[in-house]
Amino acid sequence: MAWPYCRGGETTMLKHMIGAALALGVSAGAAWADWAPSGPIKLWIGFGAGGETDTLGRLIGKEMSDATGWTVVVENKPGGGGIAMFTQLATVPADGQTIGMGVSMPVLVNLTVRADQVPFTLDSFDYLASVASAQLAIVARKDAPFDDLAGLLDHAASSDGALVGFDAKPQELLLNVLNKDGGALRPVSMKSSAELVQNLLGGHLDAAFNAGTHIPYLDSGELKMIASANAGRHSYAPDTPTVREQGYDIYVDPVFYIAAPAGLGDDVQSVLSDALLAAMNADTVRDAIQNALHTEPSGDGPEATRAMMDDGMKNVATLFGK
C-alpha cells in the first residue's frame, strides 16, 4: 500500500510522519519528498527466523508500515552470515522496493579475507541506517588479580598464560593483536555467551568475551568488566575504557544495519532512511534493542552508516594483519 492519495488522509499522514522526523532531529522538508513506493517494500533479513536480526527487522518493518501506510514484507534469506542476502540484494533494481538488513562484521570479514570470491563490494549498496551495535565486553571474575588489559597481560606473563574464552573469530583475532608483542593470552573457543560465563564463574577461564549474558553477574558482583571490545564504551558500564583507550587500536563492532542496491535517487534514499529511523525510535523497537543488545538505537543515517562500514574495513584489515 502506498501513501493515501485522499487529500485529508495524506495531510494527516504527512503530519504524523513529519512529527516523527522532527522527534529524531531530521529535516522534515528533506525527509518527506515526492517519492513513495509503488508497491510493497521487501525487507530482506540476512539470517534465519528467530534470531536477533530477524526479531529486530520484523519489529522495524511493522513500525515502518504502521507509521507510513506502506506495506512492508519481511523475508528471511539466510546464508553465510548475510552474504547470501547481500549478494542477491546487489542485483535487484535500485527502485527503493527492496532493502536488506544484516550485520557488519560478517560482511567486512568476507570482503577482507576473500574479496575475490564475494560478488559485491561496499560500493554495491546505498546505506540507509544503522540500527544498533552489539556491545561486546571482556570480563573476568570479581576476584581476578587484574582490572584492565595491562593487568591481564601481566598476569598471563607471570603465570603459565591466561585462558581467554571467545565464541566468534573476530574475538580470537583481537586476542592475537593483544599477543602481538609476546603476550601469553591463550584463546579458548566456546559456543555461546552463556557457556563462556559458566566456565568463567567455574574457574576454567581467566577472562572471556561476552555480549550480554554477563550483565546480571556484574550487578551481583560476581564478575567485573575489564574492557569494552567495541569502538565505544558501553551504556551500562560508562567508566570501563575500550580496548582502544587501553592502548590497542582495534575493536570488534558488530553493527546491525540496513542497505539498498546502489543507485537510489537522493529523494528515495532520504525518505527510506528517515522512515527507518522513525521506526527505530518507536517504543517497541527501542525496548527490543535494549533487551537484546543492552544499548540504544544508533540513530545513524546514510552518511554515518557508510562511514561505519569504511572504518570497519580498515579495522578488520588490522585484525587480520593486512
Side-chain angles (χ1 to χ4, degrees), residues 286-305:
R286 295 183 70 90
D287 289 347
I289 291 173
Q290 182 63 49
N291 291 335
L293 305 176
H294 309 284
T295 188
E296 298 293 322
S298 76
D300 287 341
E303 290 186 9
T305 301

Side-chain angles (χ1 to χ4, degrees), residues 156-178:
S158 64
S159 57
D160 292 330
L163 300 178
V164 182
F166 71 94
D167 64 358
K169 184 66 175 179
Q171 300 165 20
E172 182 183 20
L173 295 173
L174 190 150
L175 291 176
N176 291 343
V177 173
L178 297 181

Side-chain angles (χ1 to χ4, degrees), residues 5 18 26 47 62 65 76 103 123 130 150 191 244 247 261 264:
Y5 291 103
I18 289 169
V26 301
F47 296 83
K62 181 180 184 305
S65 179
N76 296 95
V103 180
D123 291 333
S130 297
K191 295 180 179 179
R244 297 173 90 179
L264 293 180

Side-chain angles (χ1 to χ4, degrees), residues 6 56 91 122 135 148 151 167 197 203 212 218 222-223 240-241 277 299 304:
C6 170
L56 294 177
T91 67
L122 292 185
Q135 297 193 106
D148 54 21
D167 64 358
V197 166
L218 296 179
E222 295 172 81
L223 295 178
T240 303
L277 291 172

Side-chain angles (χ1 to χ4, degrees), residues 27-308:
S27 168
W32 312 118
D34 294 331
W35 182 82
S38 61
I41 290 178
K42 296 178 182 178
L43 172 55
W44 290 347
I45 307 295
F47 296 83
E52 291 172 344
T53 316
D54 176 63
T55 299
L56 294 177
R58 289 182 182 279
L59 285 172
I60 290 168
K62 181 180 184 305
E63 291 293 344
M64 187 176 177
S65 179
D66 289 348
T68 62
W70 306 338
T71 297
V72 180
V73 179
V74 178
E75 301 177 3
N76 296 95
K77 292 186 176 290
I83 298 300
M85 183 275 288
F86 282 115
T87 295
Q88 186 174 354
L89 186 67
T91 67
V92 302
D95 56 8
Q97 301 294 143
T98 309
I99 60 180
M101 179 171 170
V103 180
S104 61
M105 284 301 293
V107 173
L108 297 172
V109 167
N110 276 275
L111 288 174
T112 298
V113 301
R114 59 184 199 98
D116 59 334
Q117 302 174 48
V118 178
F120 60 79
T121 69
L122 292 185
D123 291 333
S124 300
F125 307 100
D126 285 337
Y127 297 88
L128 300 174
S130 297
V131 179
S133 175
Q135 297 193 106
L136 182 65
I138 303 176
V139 295
R141 291 187 308 280
K142 188 66 175 181
D143 60 356
F146 51 84
D147 297 307
D148 54 21
L149 290 180
L152 172 59
L153 288 164
D154 287 345
H155 170 71
S158 64
S159 57
D160 292 330
L163 300 178
V164 182
F166 71 94
D167 64 358
K169 184 66 175 179
Q171 300 165 20
E172 182 183 20
L173 295 173
L174 190 150
L175 291 176
N176 291 343
V177 173
L178 297 181
N179 276 334
K180 189 174 181 180
D181 296 326
L185 303 180
R186 305 188 187 283
V188 180
S189 178
M190 294 190 174
K191 295 180 179 179
S192 67
S193 285
E195 184 180 8
L196 287 164
V197 166
Q198 290 170 4
N199 279 273
L200 192 57
L201 293 171
H204 307 300
L205 296 171
D206 295 285
F209 288 88
N210 212 267
T213 306
H214 65 289
I215 292 177
Y217 300 96
L218 296 179
D219 296 337
S220 69
E222 295 172 81
L223 295 178
K224 59 184 174 183
M225 184 169 159
I226 65 172
S228 160
N230 296 85
R233 297 190 183 195
H234 293 189
S235 57
Y236 60 85
D239 295 330
T240 303
T242 65
V243 170
R244 297 173 90 179
E245 290 172 325
Q246 296 186 51
Y248 300 88
D249 192 17
I250 202 71
Y251 60 89
V252 176
D253 223 358
V255 179
F256 295 78
Y257 73 101
I258 299 174
L264 293 180
D266 290 343
D267 56 343
V268 180
Q269 187 177 28
S270 178
V271 170
L272 286 172
S273 174
D274 287 337
L276 287 164
L277 291 172
M280 290 174 212
N281 203 45
D283 289 342
T284 55
V285 179
R286 295 183 70 90
D287 289 347
I289 291 173
Q290 182 63 49
N291 291 335
L293 305 176
H294 309 284
T295 188
E296 298 293 322
S298 76
D300 287 341
E303 290 186 9
T305 301
R306 175 58 196 254
M308 175 273 296

